[in-house]
């Protein structure tokens, strides 16, 4: 069923802001890892666990919560997720020990999947010719949320302590829940909850394009998380403050510029070209990022290139998979993002562990390996598509 009306500019902007705030909640900890770990008695080699636990929760929510958007009223589902997310953020903000903090962060990750519910909601309100534009707009908000989360958390921590970050986010989540705009009714599946989850798994089996984009998302966000989960370690060693570390999020926010154009190119049928070009840029960025201990300028340049590449591919991925099954939009996006979460969690724990043993060189090699995985996956997908579209030849 096609949408009865298209998402307007104001609605897209609201959804972009809401998605940015929601996704920021799982990235606030990245520039604060050392500070949080020190206060709660964890060593620098294990602070990546904060990010990994959050990503595990995120993966759990992607599989078990996001598909509900195909069965329940998305607006009501989103409001409840935001309210519960506020409660989880409050728990983190008042945590008094590592166990309480980890439980809170896992809950934040699980409920922050409202970000993907917002993407599916926006796409469901959009006409087919505008889906890429809608995904691009909302993803711009997501990118800014991811990267500016580090800046905001750094500034707030220097001003009033790291707990303030989560208490402010709690208030913002409640505000968004209270102001979410109304939408027309949508056609919903009558599948039971169990059948809904089974059909999500079935997408992996039945849709080769979905399979490929999911694998690419794994490598893509493993590489992304390798940088942003561990970069606070060498910067802290250089004596930078939380605000200064978070400022690199402002530099990386230039990656948001790729979201809109990538969405429009995907609408015009150039998704594969965008994916190939961006995956090559991702791999190349690590050649520059490797110089971080010697040059913060190198980090800034490499971070911009990496974030541009990641967001261009991410928007393209989502724009290409939604038309496969418009009636299963929440399941497609949720199932795809499970692999994002797995990659992010692996990149976080592996990079901080490796930094303690092999320094920034080891981290850079790890990020480059993940990036090359994205390149190989993208190129193989292009060849498979080319073979599938080639006219059949007669036997000789």
């Amino acid at each position: 069923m096609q949408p009865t009306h298209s998402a307007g500019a104001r609605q897209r902007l609201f959804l972009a802001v809401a998605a940015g705030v929601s996704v920021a909640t799982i990235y606030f900890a990245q520039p604060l890892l050392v500070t949080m770990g020190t206060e709660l008695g964890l060593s620098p080699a294990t602070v990546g666990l904060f990010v990994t636990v959050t990503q595990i929760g995120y993966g759990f929510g992607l599989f078990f919560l996001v598909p509900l958007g195909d069965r329940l009223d998305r607006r009501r589902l989103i409001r409840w997720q935001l309210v519960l997310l506020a409660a989880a953020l409050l728990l983190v903000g008042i945590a008094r020990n590592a166990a309480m903090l980890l439980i809170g962060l896992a809950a934040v990750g699980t409920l922050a999947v409202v970000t993907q519910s917002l993407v599916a909601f926006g796409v469901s309100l959009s006409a087919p010719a505008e889906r890429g534009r809608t995904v691009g707009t909302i993803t711009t908000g997501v990118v800014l949320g991811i990267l500016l989360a580090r800046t905001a958390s750094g500034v707030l921590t220097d001003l009033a302590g790291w707990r303030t970050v989560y208490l402010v986010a709690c208030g913002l989540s409640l505000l968004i829940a209270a102001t979410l705009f109304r939408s027309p009714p949508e056609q919903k599946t009558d599948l039971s909850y169990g059948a809904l989850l089974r059909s999500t798994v079935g997408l992996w089996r039945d849709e080769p394009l979905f399979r490929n984009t999911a694998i690419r998302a794994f490598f893509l966000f493993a590489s992304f998380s390798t940088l942003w989960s561990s970069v606070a370690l060498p910067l802290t060693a250089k004596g930078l403050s939380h605000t200064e570390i978070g400022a690199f999020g402002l530099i990386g926010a230039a990656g948001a510029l790729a979201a809109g154009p990538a969405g429009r190119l995907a609408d015009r049928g150039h998704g594969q070209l965008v994916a190939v070009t961006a995956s090559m840029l991702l791999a190349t960025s690590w050649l520059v990022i490797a110089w971080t201990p010697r040059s913060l300028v190198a980090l800034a340049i490499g971070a911009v290139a990496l974030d541009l590449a990641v967001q261009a591919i991410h928007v393209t991925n989502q724009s290409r998979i939604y038309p496969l099954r418009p009636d299963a939009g929440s399941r497609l996006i949720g199932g795809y993002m499970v692999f994002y979460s797995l990659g992010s969690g692996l990149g976080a724990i592996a990079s901080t562990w490796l930094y303690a043993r092999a320094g920034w060189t080891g981290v850079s090699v790890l990020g480059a390996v993940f990036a090359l995985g994205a390149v190989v996956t993208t190129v193989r997908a292009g060849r498979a598509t080319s073979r599938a579209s080639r006219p059949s030849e007669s036997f000789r």
Side-chain angles (χ1 to χ4, degrees):
M1 179 179 178
Q2 300 301 331
T4 55
H5 86 298
S6 182
R10 283 189 176 183
Q11 291 177 331
R12 284 195 293 267
L13 179 60
F14 180 92
L15 294 174
V17 172
V21 171
S22 301
V23 78
T25 61
I26 62 177
Y27 291 96
F28 283 142
Q30 287 186 348
L32 313 177
L33 293 177
V34 175
T35 298
M36 295 168 72
T38 299
E39 181 174 327
L40 298 173
L42 295 176
S43 69
T46 59
V47 292
L49 187 62
F50 294 152
V51 178
T52 299
V53 165
T54 307
Q55 290 297 337
I56 290 173
Y58 199 68
F60 184 89
L62 287 168
F63 185 76
F64 289 101
L65 294 183
V66 175
L68 285 171
D70 291 332
R71 179 176 173 81
L72 305 177
D73 178 76
R74 282 197 179 99
R75 180 176 179 271
R76 183 174 298 177
L77 177 64
I78 288 169
R79 291 187 73 177
W80 274 110
Q81 285 177 319
L82 285 166
V83 170
L84 293 174
L85 174 60
L89 290 164
L90 178 61
L91 178 61
V92 173
I94 63 174
R96 294 298 175 224
N97 54 60
M100 189 175 177
L101 179 67
L102 291 172
I103 291 171
L105 288 173
V108 167
T110 301
L111 294 158
V113 297
V114 67
T115 303
Q116 303 312 316
S117 297
L118 288 161
V119 173
F121 184 46
V123 173
S124 72
L125 296 176
S126 301
E130 295 183 348
R131 284 172 183 157
R133 181 182 179 186
T134 297
V135 172
T137 300
I138 299 175
T139 301
T140 297
V142 172
V143 177
L144 291 173
I146 292 172
L147 297 173
L148 297 183
R150 304 178 180 92
T151 304
S153 64
V155 171
L156 284 174
T157 297
D158 282 340
L159 290 175
W162 66 265
R163 297 177 187 278
T164 306
V165 177
Y166 291 92
L167 298 177
V168 169
C170 171
L172 289 175
S173 297
L174 291 174
L175 178 62
I176 293 169
T179 56
L180 183 63
F181 59 82
R182 295 186 179 277
S183 63
E186 305 170 68
Q187 183 177 355
K188 296 297 179 183
T189 181
D190 57 0
L191 292 175
S192 67
Y193 182 59
L196 199 68
L197 297 183
R198 287 193 295 273
S199 71
T200 302
V201 176
L203 293 170
W204 173 269
R205 180 187 64 246
D206 300 332
E207 300 289 352
L209 177 59
F210 173 81
R211 245 190 340 264
N212 177 266
T213 55
I215 294 171
R216 183 161 58 224
F218 171 83
F219 287 118
L220 184 69
F221 286 100
S223 186
F224 180 87
S225 184
T226 294
L227 172 62
W228 290 113
S229 295
S230 61
V231 72
L233 299 174
L235 296 184
T236 298
K238 281 180 170 287
L240 273 67
S241 69
H242 298 105
T243 300
E244 290 169 330
I245 294 173
F248 279 91
L250 286 173
I251 297 169
L257 299 174
R264 290 191 288 273
L265 286 170
D267 282 340
R268 296 169 188 165
H270 303 303
Q272 181 62 19
L273 175 61
V274 172
V276 170
T277 303
S279 62
M280 295 291 188
L281 177 61
L282 176 65
T284 304
S285 70
W286 281 101
L287 296 176
V288 183
I289 293 169
W291 291 88
T292 293
R294 299 178 182 84
S295 170
L296 295 182
V297 174
L299 172 60
I301 295 171
V304 169
L306 181 142
D307 289 334
L308 280 169
V310 167
Q311 301 315 323
I313 300 173
H314 185 41
V315 171
T316 301
N317 281 352
Q318 292 183 92
S319 298
R320 295 178 75 191
I321 62 174
Y322 190 88
L324 295 174
R325 296 273 302 278
D327 61 317
S330 292
R331 280 166 282 171
L332 280 165
I333 291 176
Y336 161 79
M337 290 297 295
V338 166
F339 289 84
Y340 151 96
S341 186
L342 291 172
S344 294
L346 177 61
I349 193 66
S351 61
T352 53
W353 179 86
L354 194 58
Y355 180 80
R357 290 157 179 78
W360 192 251
T361 299
V363 171
S364 298
V365 170
L366 178 67
V369 168
F370 285 139
L372 290 174
V375 172
V376 172
T377 304
T378 302
V379 172
R380 289 184 63 185
R383 289 175 179 173
T385 302
S386 178
R387 287 196 299 269
S389 62
R390 193 178 300 154
S392 300
E393 297 179 1
S394 58
F395 290 102
R396 295 180 180 178

